[in-house]
Amino acid sequence: MKSYLSTILLVCFLNLSFAGEGMWIPLLLKSLNEAEMQQMGMKLSAEDIYSINKGSLKDAIVHFGGFCTSEIISSEGLLLTNHHCGYGQIQSHSSLENNLLKNGFWAKNKKEELANPGLTATLIDQIIDVSEKILAGVTEEMTLKERQSLVDQNIAALKSGYNLADYQDLVVRPFYHGNQYFAFITTTYRDIRLVGTPPESIGKFGADTDNWVWPRHTGDFALFRIYAGPDNMPADYSENNIPYKPKHHLPISLDGVEEGDFTLVFGFPGRTQEYLPAAAVEQIVEVSNPAKIAIRETALGIIDKYMRADEETRIKYASKFARVANYWKKWIGESKGIKRTKGIEKKKAFEKEFQSALSADSPYKNLLSEFSALYKEQEPLAYVRDYYSEVAGRNIELMRLISISNRLVSNYENNGEESYNNYKSRVIPWLENFYKDYDARIDQEVFQALVTMYIEDVGTEYFPKQINEIDAESFYKNTALSSQEKMMSLLSEPAESAVAKLKEDPAFMFGKAWRELYTEKVGNPINNISYQLDSLQRIYMKALMETFPDRRFYPDANSTMRITYGKVDGYNPVDAVRYTPITYLDGVIEKYQPGDYEFDVSDKLLELYEKKDYGQYTDKTGKVPVCFIGTNHTTGGNSGSPAIDAYGNLIGLNFDRAWEGTMSDYNYDASICRNIMVDARYILFVVDKLAGATHLIEEMDLVRPKQK
Ligand code: ARG
Ligand code: ASP
């Protein structure tokens, strides 16, 4: 009773409402989170989750390719991640005759599992707090440059003190904006094979229409396997490699979840900025997001028109369209969410509280006004930066060809022919792949529209003068870059003449002039301001932690291993509407639109549904759960993360967030921020009943923790 009470008191004191906010460092769980997690229903200890002395949950959590998360679900290195995380690999094994995207793929035995050159799986051996060592000698009087160079030296010294195997790495990362440093010792496996994937009609069900949307019915999963050398250590691909034997793998719960159940999500979130001042969030909502949204909307409108007109174009542009549309949609939800939850007003109120808590002689007195002044100074530049990066850096595909050409030229001129040839040999396969999915007509129309927007909105002074009145048509006609044939023939010439021709190419010259103008007028000055902002952000973080010593602060995401926990919970997307937290197979059938590329359903799935052939993969009422949501605080990079129950079993697979709460990257709000997970039972149902891959089911540990 006493410890129960003291936990309650502690929680009230910390001003937490079991909300789910925070991405916590596994190493610090014991001191910061264990009590609260157990209070919320967790039956595990911090040591069960992260330990360097015994196998713990962390030994099953794997950074997939450096951009997603995955987890080990068998004693033979079977790896579960999202379909959208393995999309590139699945696509690369696909052809018109053997279309894995369309039909799915299931290796019948280990021999049939498909190798994926370049794909890696990274495990975390150990996390070490190295703050003292990295910040040794650093003083507040130092200039930013001096500070950075001392930190770099300290990192190098730390690294040289470790005796690592060639497959290991020691990565040091700043936390709390450079107030603390943690080191990660990692082991990276490099023979990762594709084991199975459902067809897109399951793995990408709902596609862009349902992306970021709840209620959701996507079976966004795929299976891979880690292979190791005979000593269980990382090795290059070889037929003699064997399935990796993990220190821990996650059992899978057949009991699933109910509203209110504890959930833990373990993975590698990419980037959040929770401690920005109100001035910065205001800039995002008022300036950056509207600009970026408008640009992408224009580009997407043009691509969509061509995709609808022609099936071949649709296939060519599907993946590019999805990528551009993903963040376009996210930013719209983000801005709406910040407004709806009064995110800026809340930050302002908090800043008032902070300011009035400072003593009269506090060194932090002017911090917030310095922030505001700098953001104000930055604002017009940030607007051009966002325009330039979206227009030139992202949506006009020709610009990518220009930057490749530029690198070829500069390699040749600065480092000689060998360097040119090295880069060229890498870039040719890339170009072949690029042109396969490139349509110069579409790009030309995007170019015309976006450049017009750019000139109208940011002004001619940021655009190379000589092409003020740009004529996209003659421009695309006269450059070699927009044509595979012309470009490849140019590159087949001897280096010297290829470089000479590139330098005279109208697109090349235009791109170079644009970039130089941008760098001088915007790039350099804004870098200078960002540098100062970074430093202020570090000081602000420190000031917050000193001013509110009783509050718990979690570090912003930085692609390192984190834990977030919450509960299964619905939310109100708008007034008077309540979303419940679990979807079912019936909902897939409700959304079914025969022949539609987003909402089609395979005959096999329809048949299973008709016959109610669900096996052991239903809830208590006999329905097959498909997806569920929770209050776990996740971001990009958390895709593929396991959702884990109170006992340490896998209950789901994280893959998205609900649209209304995508502002969680700046302003987590428990009322509407929800992560979306595929229910593990849907995954098992698809593997067992739809794919008939029973050998994989046998390989897994299926458990019933609630019936114990
Ligand atoms: N919104 C999810 C994330 O940010 C899924 C994206 C992949 N799916 C898609 N339809 N684009 O990664
Ligand atoms: N869909 C994201 C990912 O791929 C996850 C998110 O942004 O919530 O990592």
Side-chain angles (χ1 to χ4, degrees):
M1 187 62 186
K2 198 165 153 245
S3 87
Y4 177 73
L5 264 184
S6 66
T7 311
I8 293 272
L9 282 177
L10 181 75
V11 168
C12 296
F13 190 51
L14 294 170
N15 194 17
L16 287 161
S17 51
F18 293 168
E21 176 166 6
M23 302 170 165
W24 305 95
I25 306 172
L27 178 67
L28 305 184
L29 279 190
K30 178 95 195 152
S31 56
L32 289 177
N33 312 92
E34 187 187 54
E36 185 193 43
M37 294 168 90
Q38 292 174 346
Q39 175 62 29
M40 289 170 72
M42 187 180 76
K43 308 291 181 221
L44 304 165
S45 67
E47 179 83 1
D48 295 330
I49 298 174
Y50 174 85
S51 171
I52 50 168
N53 304 313
K54 61 166 195 175
S56 57
L57 292 189
K58 78 121 169 77
D59 296 309
I61 314 302
V62 183
H63 210 175
F64 184 83
F67 53 84
C68 272
T69 305
S70 56
E71 52 278 355
I72 303 173
I73 54 167
S74 87
S75 59
E76 295 181 87
L78 192 60
L79 204 56
L80 176 65
T81 189
N82 289 141
H83 182 270
H84 82 260
C85 294
Y87 198 85
Q89 282 75 33
I90 301 168
Q91 187 175 37
S92 76
H93 293 294
S94 294
S95 61
L96 267 181
E97 305 76 50
N98 182 24
N99 193 340
L100 276 53
L101 287 170
K102 186 156 182 281
N103 306 321
F105 164 76
W106 302 95
K108 284 196 276 307
N109 51 51
K110 298 205 175 72
K111 281 222 152 46
E112 285 185 11
E113 298 176 356
L114 301 171
N116 301 287
L119 182 62
T120 56
T122 300
L123 287 141
I124 304 297
D125 302 334
Q126 193 176 354
I127 307 175
I128 311 158
D129 184 348
V130 293
S131 306
E132 255 175 52
K133 286 190 175 137
I134 302 303
L135 292 171
V138 170
T139 64
E140 287 307 324
E141 286 68 44
M142 287 180 152
T143 65
L144 296 179
K145 266 220 171 80
E146 287 165 350
R147 182 186 172 100
Q148 193 54 52
S149 98
L150 183 56
V151 163
D152 290 343
Q153 280 173 37
N154 288 345
I155 291 178
L158 178 85
K159 281 192 172 182
S160 68
Y162 280 86
N163 209 348
L164 299 176
D166 63 350
Y167 48 79
Q168 280 186 312
D169 200 1
L170 180 114
V171 187
V172 178
R173 284 282 169 76
F175 283 68
Y176 298 101
H177 297 274
N179 288 293
Q180 294 181 23
Y181 285 81
F182 286 82
F184 297 78
I185 300 180
T186 63
T187 289
T188 296
Y189 285 82
R190 47 190 195 271
D191 180 0
I192 314 302
R193 303 186 198 168
L194 178 64
V195 173
T197 168
E200 272 186 312
S201 60
I202 287 175
K204 213 183 159 182
F205 184 74
D208 289 308
T209 301
D210 269 7
N211 189 26
W212 301 112
V213 166
W214 185 255
R216 188 65 154 277
H217 298 85
T218 315
D220 194 345
F221 81 96
L223 290 168
F224 287 79
R225 190 186 303 281
I226 304 178
Y227 278 81
D231 56 355
N232 207 31
M233 287 301 150
D236 285 332
Y237 172 85
S238 155
E239 273 191 33
N240 301 326
N241 284 351
I242 51 166
Y244 169 64
K245 296 237 166 325
K247 286 204 204 99
H248 183 73
H249 65 272
L250 298 177
I252 306 177
S253 167
L254 283 170
D255 286 344
V257 289
E258 278 163 55
E259 181 144 20
D261 278 358
F262 174 84
T263 57
L264 180 163
V265 173
F266 205 162
F268 294 86
R271 180 172 151 89
T272 58
Q273 293 173 279
E274 307 287 347
Y275 304 100
L276 287 176
V281 180
E282 219 156 10
Q283 194 185 87
I284 291 166
V285 175
E286 304 297 335
V287 181
S288 292
N289 278 0
K292 296 191 294 190
I293 290 164
I295 294 162
R296 289 205 178 186
E297 201 147 287
T298 305
L300 288 168
I302 294 166
I303 302 173
D304 182 63
K305 186 180 71 187
Y306 283 94
M307 281 172 73
R308 280 181 195 280
D310 171 46
E311 178 63 14
E312 198 186 326
T313 309
R314 195 186 74 69
I315 296 169
K316 267 188 179 177
Y317 271 75
S319 156
K320 272 187 257 189
F321 186 92
R323 226 174 308 133
V324 176
N326 192 29
Y327 266 67
W328 163 76
K329 197 165 178 182
K330 197 243 182 194
W331 292 324
I332 298 174
E334 182 177 282
S335 291
K336 279 181 97 132
I338 291 174
K339 285 184 185 150
R340 179 157 173 242
T341 56
K342 305 207 170 4
I344 294 169
E345 289 87 330
K346 279 183 193 154
K347 280 212 184 260
K348 283 186 177 158
F350 176 74
E351 285 168 11
K352 229 182 212 159
E353 189 192 341
F354 166 73
Q355 195 70 33
S356 59
L358 297 176
S359 63
D361 56 351
S362 163
Y364 307 130
K365 271 272 172 229
N366 298 323
L367 203 51
L368 287 167
S369 55
E370 282 171 37
F371 252 139
S372 297
L374 266 181
Y375 274 107
K376 204 174 197 130
E377 189 187 338
Q378 189 210 36
E379 187 156 304
L381 294 169
Y383 184 63
V384 188
R385 175 201 59 200
D386 292 336
Y387 250 90
Y388 182 80
S389 70
E390 279 297 311
V391 172
R394 180 85 217 195
N395 287 292
I396 298 176
E397 295 180 79
L398 182 62
M399 297 302 296
R400 206 162 311 157
L401 296 165
I402 293 173
S403 76
I404 283 171
S405 307
N406 188 56
R407 201 161 148 199
L408 281 166
V409 170
S410 72
N411 276 12
Y412 181 79
E413 293 189 331
N414 302 332
N415 308 318
E417 193 160 341
E418 194 184 320
S419 150
Y420 168 92
N421 282 331
N422 276 340
Y423 182 55
K424 188 179 124 177
S425 65
R426 273 188 290 138
V427 100
I428 293 242
W430 187 91
L431 283 172
E432 270 161 5
N433 214 15
F434 172 89
Y435 285 116
K436 185 163 67 63
D437 292 336
Y438 179 69
D439 186 332
R441 286 172 317 158
I442 300 178
D443 197 31
Q444 179 184 319
E445 202 169 320
V446 169
F447 180 97
Q448 180 81 54
L450 295 194
V451 161
T452 306
M453 264 179 100
Y454 180 94
I455 294 173
E456 273 172 12
D457 292 345
V458 308
T460 47
E461 56 182 307
Y462 298 105
F463 202 69
K465 258 203 212 67
Q466 65 271 28
I467 331 183
N468 232 338
E469 295 297 319
I470 197 121
D471 172 6
E473 198 179 327
S474 71
F475 198 63
Y476 272 72
K477 207 159 71 203
N478 294 328
T479 176
L481 274 51
S482 65
S483 144
Q484 175 166 16
E485 211 190 317
K486 286 190 206 162
M487 182 67 168
M488 290 305 181
S489 113
L490 189 156
L491 289 180
S492 68
E493 292 184 30
E496 194 185 347
S497 74
V499 166
K501 282 190 179 159
L502 281 177
K503 286 174 75 177
E504 293 195 332
D505 186 278
F508 180 88
M509 292 189 332
F510 156 75
K512 189 164 184 275
W514 196 5
R515 193 185 50 253
E516 283 169 3
L517 186 71
Y518 172 82
T519 306
E520 181 207 321
K521 289 198 163 175
V522 183
N524 292 338
I526 210 170
N527 279 347
N528 185 27
I529 296 175
S530 303
Y531 203 52
Q532 298 173 57
L533 282 172
D534 286 349
S535 164
L536 274 187
Q537 192 70 52
R538 171 175 54 79
I539 299 168
Y540 184 43
M541 192 77 236
K542 181 163 175 254
L544 290 176
M545 294 167 96
E546 284 173 16
T547 310
F548 304 110
D550 300 328
R551 292 193 195 176
R552 259 186 340 180
F553 292 92
Y554 57 92
D556 271 320
N558 58 1
S559 291
T560 61
M561 184 180 240
R562 301 294 179 89
I563 282 166
T564 169
Y565 49 93
K567 61 178 183 190
V568 178
D569 197 12
Y571 69 105
N572 294 21
V574 286
D575 187 31
V577 176
R578 180 75 185 167
Y579 281 162
T580 55
I582 301 170
T583 61
Y584 298 93
L585 190 56
D586 306 80
V588 175
I589 306 302
E590 271 174 26
K591 283 182 178 172
Y592 171 40
Q593 289 176 41
D596 182 89
Y597 81 93
E598 294 189 297
F599 292 100
D600 209 351
V601 169
S602 71
D603 292 343
K604 178 79 192 174
L605 185 61
L606 287 171
E607 188 190 315
L608 291 169
Y609 180 73
E610 293 291 307
K611 291 193 187 144
K612 294 212 177 329
D613 185 1
Y614 301 151
Q616 53 185 338
Y617 310 115
T618 64
D619 69 1
K620 278 184 267 176
T621 68
K623 296 197 289 184
V624 179
V626 174
C627 293
F628 64 99
I629 49 175
T631 59
N632 310 288
H633 189 178
T634 55
T635 190
N638 266 126
S639 274
S641 297
I644 294 170
D645 69 5
Y647 313 90
N649 306 308
L650 185 92
I651 43 174
L653 177 65
N654 186 74
F655 69 103
D656 210 0
R657 275 172 287 167
W659 193 59
E660 295 82 358
T662 51
M663 82 302 182
S664 60
D665 293 343
Y666 303 111
N667 220 333
Y668 180 92
D669 188 308
S671 69
I672 52 170
C673 292
R674 296 291 177 273
N675 69 315
I676 309 181
M677 299 152 276
V678 199
D679 195 298
R681 290 166 295 180
Y682 191 52
I683 295 172
L684 296 171
F685 165 73
V686 170
V687 172
D688 185 341
K689 293 290 172 175
L690 195 104
T694 47
H695 60 290
L696 294 175
I697 300 284
E698 273 156 31
E699 199 187 313
M700 305 171 194
D701 290 347
L702 307 189
V703 296
R704 289 208 174 266
K706 287 187 178 175
Q707 294 176 16
K708 252 192 245 168

